[in-house]
Amino acid sequence: MLSKLFSFNGGVKPDPNKSLSTREPIARLALPPQLVIPLHQHIGGTPRPLVHVGDTVLRGQRIGAADGNVSSAVHAPTSGHVVAIEPRPMPHASGLSSPAVVIEPDGLDAAMEREPFDWHAAAPGEIRDFLRDAGVVGLGGAVFPSHLKLNPGKSGHTDTLVINGAECEPFITCDDMLMRAEPENILRGALIMQRMLAAKQVLVALEDNKPEAAAALKAAAQSLGHASLEVVVVPTRYPAGGAKQLIRVLTGIEVPHGSRSTDYGVQCFNVATALAVWRALEHGEPLTRRIVTVTGNVERPRNFDVAIGTPISHLFAAAGLKPDTDKLIMGGPMMGIPLPNIDAPVVKATNCLLASSPTLFAPPEPELPCIRCGECARACPADLQPFELYWHSRARNFGRAQEYKLFDCIECGCCAYVCPSHIPLVDYYRYAKSEIWARERDKDAADSARERFEFRNWRADREKEEKAAKLAARNAAKPAVKPTDGSAPAADVAPSAGDDPKKALIEAAMARARAQKEAVAAKNTDTLTPAQQAQIDATEERRRRASELSGSDAPAECARP
């Protein structure tokens, strides 16, 4: 039994607003007229499409294959026809497009035949490959491929496996409702993970503002009867759901900068990920659906069981979007991102869709100068100095921002929440991070271009040397040209060993040309008559005199024979 809970520095306690979407059970949402399934829904490489326009697909069929190790497959959520494979807008603040497979459901929802997989007898590597091909990724927000995190690494085991059900951000209740609905299956998935990681204990953690979910999990844990499995209720404080913060609360381990929790024998997964692992291994179900909270300025706030690829507009229509909505957010009010396009699809990272209105969220107050009060530093759960990060990010001094551990910022929004000057601090940090990433990409591209240019020049020089060597070899193999006047052959005029090979070749060629010219001239003069020879001599004499006169500024005389 866990005897002590620890605490982390900073954090805030905003109004949770979770009761809005927990009044009714999870509802299974009907399929839309079209499903837009993005190929890239996780950290890592973009899966390769396995279907073509016009193909018929079945529910659970793989439509995108994992591209490399840090990647995960993508599947069809229902049966239907592929009508397009093209870029479509994604649920991202940029509004940029990404390659997606567009499927029109046929209404049959026919599933493909599942191949049996006995994970009990399979090796850990085979289980990880199966989970990769089943498209299982982290559903807590990071969407990191789960098969990579289920590798115990060099140590061969993990001390503590943490199953994260804290769900600390306001308005979001998808994990809460999932723990109420399927507590036993979540714990079974956690035990599978424990076996793969050879973990000594499993801690399922959730905040104390979820009493129904806590009671359901404790009852399920008691029925399973595993001594190494424990359900732990932690105090409610944002962002207790952060991986490093939750690990600190449960184990007292503070993961330092540049390290990972696995370096200290701890691994963390979301409760929805544990359920996805159990469904994939026990029933052969790939990850094609997830629970999404739709709340805020809607008529019927609720959690929906949604097919991945469903347009966001379809969910808001089911929840009844109110007309005075001024902004749509994917995620919660603290870490969520604004949605520029309501027709973007639900992806594996979509846990909440929040509708905002002036009455629900007051318009942001004007930004004032920083007074360096230090409130942001006291609230920072990552023990950073947000005001220093703000100054350097605003001044575009990105090197100094990195010295203050910019990339340790988890963008939780605590600093902006407590700032008396109403500075959107997280926006500055996101801007600085994106600029640093862009510069690194430009630098990598420039280095690659320089390497290609240097290799091209080296190859051109090598080809010139090879051509010169071949030409010298051919000239050396040619027979010498014997002149008619008895002079030495041109081939006998060899360059000195110390001369440049190219220069020697040129001189040899000029010598041969002179010898041939002398031979032709001698042959032509043999056929002249005495009168013709006298005329040529007279012409040469006039030219010589004209040349002498031109040297003394006299006009030159041009005569013709």
Side-chain angles (χ1 to χ4, degrees), residues 528-545:
L528 295 177
T529 61
Q532 291 174 334
Q533 186 64 47
Q535 188 176 8
I536 291 172
D537 293 341
T539 303
E540 289 296 330
E541 180 65 20
R542 285 195 296 273
R543 288 179 178 173
R544 184 182 62 77
R545 291 179 181 178

Side-chain angles (χ1 to χ4, degrees), residues 17-30 167 169-181 210 272 289-296 298-307 315-316 318-319 331 350-354:
N17 285 307
K18 292 179 179 288
S19 60
L20 297 173
S21 55
T22 57
R23 299 168 185 168
E24 298 181 85
I26 299 171
R28 189 178 180 92
L29 192 65
E167 197 172 46
E169 184 149 2
F171 287 93
I172 307 177
T173 60
C174 58
D175 288 347
D176 183 3
M177 298 302 292
L178 188 65
M179 290 185 286
R180 299 186 197 185
K210 305 174 181 62
R289 304 184 70 91
R290 70 155 298 146
I291 310 300
V292 180
T293 304
V294 184
T295 185
V298 294
E299 299 288 349
R300 300 173 297 277
R302 196 171 187 178
N303 282 276
F304 293 97
D305 183 1
V306 182
L315 279 79
F316 278 121
T350 306
N351 57 356
C352 178
L353 295 172
L354 177 61

